[in-house]
Every structure is written in structure tokens, then in C-alpha cells.
Amino acid sequence: MRVKVRWLKSGRSRAQGLLRCASAAFFLLGLLAIGFCAAAYFHAEIYQAYAGWRFEKSLSLPPPPKEPSRTAARSDQQRILRFAAREGSVIGRIDIPRIGVSVMVVEGVQARNLKVAAGHIPGTALPGEEGNVGIAGHRDTFFRKLREVRASDVITLTTLYGSYQYSVESTRVVEPGDVQVLRPSSAAILTLVTCYPFYYVGSAPGRFIVRARQISGPAG
């Protein structure tokens, strides 16, 4: 009987030891996950601060020499295209003052781009062109506050070559494969894209779309 009791106690001790080891392992994994998230967050914040500083510094530089009026519009467009040609290069900044959104925008929507900024969707118009300017961002970082956007909110898209203002016309939720929201337009419009629902855990099943129409620009 004593042998059986010792065996039971020994088995119980081993089980408790395994539970302690498992608890420690899960605790360590939790710390690593928190550390990874914190590192990603601070990396994005540092990038935003540095890119914003460089952008503001560039805005303070004197404008390029005036060109003949008949080629001014074409030249301005060419400068914008050259400026945005490189993957990952900064093309401007989006501000939505009412909901507290202010984020730098880079060219491209690769994962490495969207970790640190909002991304201009390749194939859509560039700021300053007529057409549909598409910009994407993560719902859990830079575009989280888009859930609060409403009609008539003003969105300012600032580039080195001018500032463009848009008025929000509508919001809607679409399927991830619905590319019609990015189709070309004869009018100057802005389309913001992020995942939906905003607090969904894992790969979100929908896309939240903000559609805005240009009301002024360029200025400055």
C-alpha cells in the first residue's frame, strides 16, 4: 500500500512539474509575442517620425523654378510620377483632422511598406492626376480610426508638389476580391482601403472602403 501511495505522489509531482514547465513556456511565449508586437509598433513609430521630419524639411525648401505655362501642368505631373516611382518611397501624408488620422504614405502595398506606413496602390492614379487615387492601410494601426469617419469629413493629401483636399462621400464594406472600388474614374477621387471588421482576430473577411471626392488643390 505504501508503495502505491509513493507511486501516486510521484506521479502527481511529475504532473505538477510538467504543468509548471508548460506554464513557464507559455509565459515565455507570451513575453516574446508582446516583445515582437512592441518592436513592430516602435519600428513603425520611428519610421513615421523620421519620414515625417524629412517630409516637413523638404516642404520648407524653395519651390523649383517656374516653367513656361504651356508645359507647367505636364512638368508637374512628371515630377510627381518620378517622385513616386520607387517602391517604398514616400509620396505624401494623409491627414483626417476630425478623427485624428495623420500618416505618411509610401509607394506600394508590400507587407514591409504597410508595417510602417499607408501605401499607395500601384496602378491607381497619383495625387495631382485625374482619376482614382487608391491608398491602403492596416486596420489595427494607421487606419484603425477610419471606423469613425463620416460623410463630409475632409481628408488632406499633402505631397511635395501641392496639397489636395477631399470630402468623404461614402463608406461601405466589400469582399476582398472586389476590385471595382479601385477602377479608374474620370473625376479626381480618393479611395481608402482597410480590412474589416476592425477588431476581428485573424485574417479579416471584408474590406472597409472610404470614398472621397477632390474639392480643392493644389495649394502651396
Side-chain angles (χ1 to χ4, degrees), residues 48 55 80 83-84 89-96 101-110 113-129 131-139 141-144 146 149 155-159 162 164-166 170 172 174 178-179 181-183 188-195 198 207-212 214:
Q48 284 287 310
F55 185 70
I80 293 172
F83 179 68
S89 64
V90 173
I91 66 169
R93 185 185 63 228
I94 273 190
D95 293 284
I96 314 177
V101 170
S102 182
V103 57
M104 302 305 296
V105 181
V106 302
E107 176 64 22
V109 289
Q110 299 292 332
N113 298 332
L114 296 185
K115 283 181 181 178
V116 297
H120 172 255
I121 301 171
T124 66
L126 287 160
E129 294 180 327
N132 187 358
V133 180
I135 295 177
H138 283 316
R139 74 187 190 279
T141 53
F142 306 112
F143 276 3
R144 178 178 289 277
L146 283 189
V149 78
I155 303 174
T156 301
L157 179 51
T158 306
T159 75
Y164 306 86
Q165 287 194 321
Y166 302 81
S170 64
R172 60 175 169 145
V174 301
D178 186 355
V179 296
V181 295
L182 297 175
R183 68 177 182 267
I189 59 175
L190 174 67
T191 301
L192 304 183
V193 182
T194 193
C195 292
F198 286 94
R207 297 293 181 266
F208 185 78
I209 307 298
V210 177
R211 177 62 62 90
Q214 186 176 320

Side-chain angles (χ1 to χ4, degrees), residues 15-200:
Q16 290 174 344
L18 288 172
L19 284 174
R20 283 195 294 270
C21 289
S23 297
F26 283 119
F27 179 73
L28 180 59
L29 286 173
L31 287 179
L32 289 174
I34 292 171
F36 177 80
C37 291
Y41 173 80
F42 285 114
H43 177 219
E45 289 296 309
I46 291 169
Y47 177 88
Q48 284 287 310
Y50 178 68
W53 173 78
R54 289 194 62 183
F55 185 70
E56 289 294 334
K57 188 175 180 181
S58 298
L59 286 176
S60 68
L61 294 176
K66 294 290 184 181
E67 300 188 27
S69 57
R70 60 190 175 84
T71 61
R74 182 188 303 173
S75 177
D76 183 62
Q77 186 182 54
Q78 288 173 341
R79 284 197 296 270
I80 293 172
L81 291 171
R82 285 198 299 269
F83 179 68
R86 292 182 295 107
E87 172 78 16
S89 64
V90 173
I91 66 169
R93 185 185 63 228
I94 273 190
D95 293 284
I96 314 177
R98 193 189 68 78
I99 61 174
V101 170
S102 182
V103 57
M104 302 305 296
V105 181
V106 302
E107 176 64 22
V109 289
Q110 299 292 332
R112 62 179 179 273
N113 298 332
L114 296 185
K115 283 181 181 178
V116 297
H120 172 255
I121 301 171
T124 66
L126 287 160
E129 294 180 327
E130 289 188 355
N132 187 358
V133 180
I135 295 177
H138 283 316
R139 74 187 190 279
D140 51 0
T141 53
F142 306 112
F143 276 3
R144 178 178 289 277
K145 290 187 176 180
L146 283 189
R147 68 189 187 278
E148 302 171 15
V149 78
R150 63 191 183 201
S152 299
D153 278 346
V154 174
I155 303 174
T156 301
L157 179 51
T158 306
T159 75
L160 291 182
Y161 310 103
S163 182
Y164 306 86
Q165 287 194 321
Y166 302 81
S167 177
V168 173
E169 292 189 331
S170 64
T171 63
R172 60 175 169 145
V173 177
V174 301
E175 296 292 327
D178 186 355
V179 296
Q180 294 300 309
V181 295
L182 297 175
R183 68 177 182 267
S185 168
S186 58
I189 59 175
L190 174 67
T191 301
L192 304 183
V193 182
T194 193
C195 292
Y196 184 86
F198 286 94
Y199 294 103
Y200 193 85

